[in-house]
Amino acid sequence: MLGYGKRKATSIILVLTLVAMMFNVSSNVAFAVDECVILDVYTDQASYATTDQVTISVEVNNPSTTVSKTVTTSVYHLDALVDTTSESVSMTGSAVTTYTYVWTPPATDLQGYLVKVDLGDGIYVTTAVDVSNDFTTYPRYGYSVDFPTGETSTESARMINNLAKDYHINVVQYYDWMFRHEQNFPTTGTTWDDLFGNTISEASIQNRIDAGHDVNQKAMAYQMAYMVREGYESYGVDKEWGLFRNKDYNISYNPSDISTISNIDQLNFPLEGEPGPILMITNPENPSWQSFMASQYTSAVDRLSFDGIQIDQMGDFWGSIDKFDYQGNYIDLGKTFSSFVNNAKDTLTTNNNAKDYVTMNIVNGAVPPNDDFSTWDIINNADTDFQFSELWQNSATYDSLQKYIEWQRLSDDGNKTMVLAAYMNQSDNAGTLYEAENATYSGLSSGTTDGTTYLTGYDTTGDYVNFAVTVPEDGTYTLVFRFANGASARADKNIYVDNTNVMTANFDPTRTNMIPALPSWTTYSYEAAFTNPKTLYLTAGSHDIKVQHDAGNTGDIRLDSLTLGTFNKASVRLTDAVIAASGAMHIEMGTGLSTANNEASNYSDSVMLGHPYYPKAFKEMRDDLRAEMMDHYDFITAYENLLFDGDVMPEDSGIQNLVITGENVTG
């Protein structure tokens, strides 16, 4: 453990070393039946105010005979021992004993603490405590998706508590929860369909937010800065608030005929779907639009008790084309966001100054001039409470990532902590792969095109492919299908595990490019659909996974392979270490993806973020990565003062001292 002076300088070598040390402490301990070992240590909240007490829970397995063990709990702030206690605990029988210790931390704001617990055997298990009256200095950001009807308050609490207990997530982004992009709630009812046809339950959203508040976790409502759905004029939006590529002002669009997109003059962002939804773009600087959306933001806070707003944009998606408002004035889109943010912040503060948190996505951010779109304007002019940036090609290396974070910390007068959205292994198909043509199948034919061998003719009742898979460990898995669908509509097939029907899998049309590109039978995708993620619980060992066309299923696909999708552990750990060592956070841990054929005890499995559309979870953490991520979040919480404090100034990173044989570590 390390102390620090009044003015601190981060060192990547130093912090990576600490991270590696922290990863070596694991709560997943193998034990004999007559041994007593600590199974888990956790706290009762995601973070704590300076007036709170901390309840630390220690779960210990019991041997077959009665024993007495001394449970020692030690609390450190950096290198200083601030509290220690020991208590003899009697343990017997086959159940788990849970020992609790209530600790009163010093009444000092913005402090991180490491908690170490042992049974006198030299093996200790850790957790961490963050004492902060406001989360924005250390925003350990998570996410929540899919808000189905029928989710109980107990299930909601289990999911949210899992994020708080295991990863100390103190703020959650509720993603794509709204009715329409320009109208959060329908005029009547408490359920609605989103733009991809998912049914959203207001009760499920509210239950999760309430559960988060119970563990001192804030809730941010995802919203777009400038997007409206097709037919927006029926929902109170005036096309004179729009942003156009020319002055014809045509906004006519038929969702059942995607070719009509080419008739639209208003800037737009087409989406998959049948019929095809489309998002059109407004001018963020237009005062009427600002007022309209600010009222939507306050409605989210007032109706669902959100604590603030996560504002999103699409970055420089439309490139260098000129953009005009309705009056024909040239608009520099990347410079309009601070005005929009500041109006939203003022309106939220006036409405309820306890629920006025705001952040804005700096899409494809980088050190200017590598990004000349919106980075400078948002970081320097927008009244955000913490920074948020979704990374793409402008920060594509560890070196550019570090430089971007350091530039932000040096140029940001508010010393705000930055949260990065960096989607791990998004383009990788990691995991055990099973080729369809090597599986057992019936009613299908095999073909080869451009080097891909596939099975097709998948459109008659009884057609199936049966994959014999080997599952390495009990846990949640995602079925990643490589497939092509050249039809204009979504296909679906039923999934059976060991002859039990567990879910229906959707397969959206595959295209050579974005809509209005036509569907293609030779373009393959791993991203099957915007709905019904194919996650399921499997026990270790051999299983049959059958993909079958039943009565009621529709459409044909070309099926190439199945992968039990996983993350690359080394790349996740290194990326998280670089981000933390540079002084930023990483939004990556989330919840909400319901799991098929799963018992209630596994419902709350946390999901790592691997895609910019958050519900597309097509990879899962295996047990070793899951345990190491818990250790990582313990570490960044316990040592938050060393990593993220405003007076941590970037200096010599120590990169010149790092040597990896056969690898270039200079860029």
Side-chain angles (χ1 to χ4, degrees):
M1 287 169 239
L2 299 179
Y4 62 94
K6 184 175 182 180
R7 188 170 183 83
K8 307 178 281 289
T10 57
S11 163
I12 282 187
I13 301 306
L14 177 61
V15 180
L16 285 176
T17 301
L18 284 171
V19 172
M21 291 168 58
M22 196 69 186
F23 279 150
N24 287 331
V25 180
S26 175
S27 59
N28 293 330
V29 181
F31 57 91
V33 68
D34 286 327
E35 286 184 296
C36 266
V37 299
I38 298 172
L39 301 175
D40 200 5
V41 178
Y42 52 90
T43 59
D44 61 326
Q45 293 189 173
S47 62
Y48 298 84
T50 52
T51 56
D52 290 341
Q53 290 185 312
V54 180
T55 298
I56 301 166
S57 296
V58 182
E59 292 184 358
V60 183
N61 75 297
N62 291 341
S64 56
T65 57
T66 301
V67 297
S68 182
K69 288 288 185 179
T70 299
V71 180
T72 299
T73 305
S74 303
V75 183
Y76 295 84
H77 175 62
L78 301 179
D79 60 346
L81 178 65
V82 297
D83 185 81
T84 187
T85 184
S86 296
E87 183 173 335
S88 180
V89 178
S90 180
M91 304 171 187
T92 188
S94 59
V96 172
T97 293
T98 301
Y99 160 77
T100 59
Y101 170 57
V102 179
W103 174 57
T104 302
T108 306
D109 196 13
L110 302 176
Q111 298 287 286
Y113 300 92
L114 179 70
V115 180
K116 296 173 57 176
V117 183
D118 69 80
L119 300 178
D121 53 8
I123 300 174
Y124 63 87
V125 179
T126 64
T127 188
V129 173
D130 168 26
V131 178
S132 298
N133 289 327
D134 189 294
F135 78 90
T136 59
T137 300
Y138 311 122
R140 294 178 299 278
Y141 212 0
Y143 70 95
S144 191
V145 296
D146 286 3
F147 311 101
T149 58
E151 181 179 300
T152 67
S153 58
T154 299
E155 290 169 336
S156 298
R158 185 180 295 118
M159 290 188 290
I160 292 300
N161 291 344
N162 199 53
L163 290 180
K165 182 188 79 164
D166 289 342
Y167 306 103
H168 314 287
I169 297 299
N170 58 358
V171 55
V172 168
Q173 178 188 146
Y174 286 76
Y175 183 86
D176 263 15
W177 60 276
M178 56 279 185
F179 168 53
R180 290 174 60 93
H181 279 65
E182 76 281 1
Q183 182 172 316
N184 286 332
F185 304 100
T187 53
T188 60
T190 57
T191 63
W192 53 86
D193 287 347
D194 70 6
L195 74 169
F196 297 119
N198 304 300
T199 299
I200 304 294
S201 166
E202 182 174 346
S204 296
I205 304 170
Q206 189 68 72
N207 286 343
R208 295 189 200 178
I209 294 173
D210 291 345
H213 287 161
D214 288 343
V215 293
N216 198 23
Q217 181 187 85
K218 300 299 185 184
M220 301 288 282
Y222 174 88
Q223 307 264 205
M224 290 296 296
Y226 53 17
M227 283 188 169
V228 293
R229 285 281 304 274
E230 73 282 349
Y232 60 76
E233 289 180 296
S234 299
Y235 294 89
V237 177
D238 194 320
K239 76 173 182 178
E240 293 189 12
W241 306 346
L243 208 59
F244 297 84
R245 65 182 73 237
N246 58 45
K247 304 181 183 68
D248 292 336
Y249 310 123
N250 181 20
I251 63 171
S252 177
Y253 173 59
N254 178 3
S256 297
D257 182 2
I258 62 173
S259 67
T260 61
I261 290 175
S262 59
N263 299 329
I264 300 173
D265 298 323
Q266 191 170 358
L267 267 68
N268 60 78
F269 186 81
L271 295 159
E272 299 280 358
E274 191 68 32
I278 187 171
L279 297 172
M280 301 187 197
I281 313 306
T282 57
N283 176 13
E285 284 187 325
N286 182 285
S288 297
W289 169 249
Q290 289 184 356
S291 177
F292 181 88
M293 281 311 294
S295 70
Q296 292 296 312
Y297 296 172
T298 57
S299 74
V301 166
D302 293 343
R303 181 162 166 173
L304 281 172
S305 66
F306 282 111
D307 299 289
I309 306 297
Q310 165 75 61
I311 303 175
D312 197 12
Q313 53 149 320
M314 298 303 299
D316 198 14
F317 173 78
W318 299 275
S320 59
I321 66 169
D322 290 339
K323 307 167 186 70
F324 303 93
D325 66 13
Y326 192 82
Q327 288 72 36
N329 301 305
Y330 172 79
I331 300 297
D332 188 349
L333 181 58
K335 306 302 186 292
T336 66
F337 296 122
S338 59
S339 170
F340 182 88
V341 169
N342 296 342
N343 180 78
K345 178 71 171 179
D346 290 344
T347 304
L348 287 166
T349 301
T350 300
N351 178 67
N352 184 343
N353 62 9
K355 292 180 174 292
D356 66 345
Y357 295 104
V358 175
T359 191
M360 170 89 196
N361 189 0
I362 308 166
V363 176
N364 207 8
V367 179
N370 294 331
D371 168 34
D372 59 0
F373 182 64
S374 65
T375 297
W376 181 269
D377 179 59
I378 294 174
I379 285 179
N380 289 277
N381 300 324
D383 187 13
T384 56
D385 291 281
F386 59 96
Q387 305 291 8
F388 185 96
S389 187
E390 185 177 45
L391 299 180
W392 295 105
Q393 65 271 18
N394 283 346
S395 294
T397 66
Y398 293 126
D399 185 56
S400 61
L401 175 59
Q402 178 196 3
K403 286 181 170 59
Y404 176 37
I405 299 168
E406 292 183 348
W407 171 82
Q408 177 262 323
R409 292 184 71 86
L410 290 170
S411 61
D412 188 340
D413 291 339
N415 277 330
K416 300 170 188 173
T417 300
M418 177 176 280
V419 177
L420 298 173
Y423 308 113
M424 296 307 306
N425 308 144
Q426 180 187 344
S427 301
D428 302 332
N429 186 34
T432 305
L433 183 144
Y434 299 89
E435 294 286 358
E437 67 270 20
N438 296 332
T440 302
Y441 57 92
S442 175
L444 307 178
S445 59
S446 175
T448 301
T449 303
D450 297 332
T452 295
T453 300
Y454 54 84
L455 299 178
T456 192
Y458 221 142
D459 54 6
T460 302
T461 299
D463 292 348
Y464 72 84
V465 180
N466 188 76
F467 296 93
V469 304
T470 301
V471 176
E473 62 192 19
D474 293 357
T476 304
Y477 291 82
T478 297
L479 307 181
V480 181
F481 296 105
R482 185 174 188 265
F483 75 100
N485 176 5
S488 60
R490 168 179 289 162
D492 60 24
K493 312 296 170 194
N494 286 340
I495 306 296
Y496 294 77
V497 175
D498 300 328
N499 294 317
T500 298
N501 189 348
V502 297
M503 69 174 77
T504 298
N506 292 333
F507 298 87
D508 286 338
T510 53
R511 305 173 191 272
T512 55
N513 206 331
M514 287 192 62
I515 292 175
L518 295 176
S520 166
W521 284 110
T522 57
T523 300
Y524 285 81
S525 175
Y526 295 114
E527 304 171 12
F530 283 94
T531 58
N532 293 4
K534 288 155 291 302
T535 54
L536 70 164
Y537 189 82
L538 296 172
T539 56
S542 299
H543 294 280
D544 287 329
I545 296 179
K546 183 163 63 175
V547 186
Q548 181 163 296
H549 187 103
D550 289 332
N553 291 138
T554 59
D556 187 12
I557 60 173
R558 289 183 176 180
L559 185 59
D560 172 48
S561 63
L562 165 67
T563 303
L564 301 181
T566 63
F567 286 93
N568 182 292
K569 183 176 72 171
S571 66
V572 171
R573 291 176 62 186
L574 181 57
T575 298
D576 277 340
V578 169
I579 290 173
S582 301
M585 298 285 187
H586 187 192
I587 182 171
E588 58 185 336
M589 302 309 306
T591 194
L593 291 169
S594 57
T595 302
N597 74 328
N598 198 3
E599 297 178 0
S601 61
N602 299 304
Y603 187 85
S604 63
D605 229 5
S606 296
V607 182
M608 179 169 281
L609 184 58
H611 195 278
Y613 181 68
Y614 292 9
K616 276 195 171 184
F618 58 103
K619 293 182 179 67
E620 290 286 336
M621 296 180 290
R622 297 276 43 88
D623 284 353
D624 55 353
L625 178 57
R626 189 178 298 277
E628 288 160 5
M629 292 308 299
M630 294 179 193
D631 290 338
H632 173 77
Y633 276 84
D634 282 349
F635 176 76
I636 66 172
T637 303
Y639 293 99
E640 59 192 15
N641 301 103
L642 186 64
L643 294 166
F644 312 114
D645 276 6
D647 58 349
V648 177
M649 293 300 171
E651 292 182 5
D652 179 14
S653 67
I655 196 73
Q656 72 277 8
N657 300 314
L658 181 62
V659 177
I660 301 176
T661 302
E663 297 291 337
N664 178 14
V665 296
T666 61

